[in-house]
Amino acid sequence: MRSCLALAVSLLSLAIPAHAQDDSAANGQLIGELMAFHGSQAIVDVMTTHCYETTGLDGAYKDAASNWYLRNIGFLDLADRVIVSLGGAAEGQQQAAETYGGSQIMTAYNQAADKNSFCRAFLEQVDSGALDINNQLPAPLKRAQEIASS
């Protein structure tokens, strides 16, 4: 299960189309990688809702998602600021990242032999911080921090 989640997040950073108005390939790639931050949020949101409903409305999922958001809101805001400073994203790019993240995690969920175990493992990953942006996407986060501090 852990490898499915990690794979979904890592694929997200590679598959999101990159675009920058200044036509810089490097900036476009970084914008795509920073959009993966929003895809990570979508993964947590989608599975939180799905597992919350699947496991009999266990409030632990909503608490975990809220805590994830509090731990990661600064990274999401940083990504948005850096994207703007690099020329902005293409229209619909954030929505595409969110849709892609949600579909990847649902594919992993649908392929799981034991859905209840998948949801419990997901909750553990969110609670432990393993799915936090700084743990899943450290390289683009570091580049964003460097850009923001210069």
Side-chain angles (χ1 to χ4, degrees), residues 101-115:
S103 68
Q104 290 301 300
I105 196 62
M106 284 308 299
T107 297
Y109 171 83
N110 289 331
Q111 292 175 354
D114 183 345
K115 310 292 192 246

Side-chain angles (χ1 to χ4, degrees), residues 44 48 64-65 68 71 121-132:
V44 172
T48 295
W68 183 94
R71 289 190 309 265
F122 168 78
L123 177 61
E124 183 179 306
Q125 294 294 304
V126 174
D127 278 340
S128 73
L131 296 181
D132 286 3

Side-chain angles (χ1 to χ4, degrees), residues 53-131:
E53 294 168 353
T54 301
T55 61
L57 305 178
D58 183 345
Y61 290 96
K62 287 190 174 188
D63 290 343
S66 293
N67 290 333
W68 183 94
Y69 182 77
L70 291 172
R71 289 190 309 265
N72 289 275
I73 184 61
F75 302 138
L76 294 165
D77 287 344
L78 171 66
D80 290 341
R81 287 191 319 271
V82 170
I83 288 167
V84 168
S85 77
L86 294 175
E91 184 175 335
Q93 192 172 3
Q94 182 173 333
Q95 179 63 41
E98 293 167 351
T99 299
Y100 185 80
S103 68
Q104 290 301 300
I105 196 62
M106 284 308 299
T107 297
Y109 171 83
N110 289 331
Q111 292 175 354
D114 183 345
K115 310 292 192 246
N116 192 40
S117 292
F118 186 94
C119 282
R120 300 230 179 268
F122 168 78
L123 177 61
E124 183 179 306
Q125 294 294 304
V126 174
D127 278 340
S128 73
L131 296 181

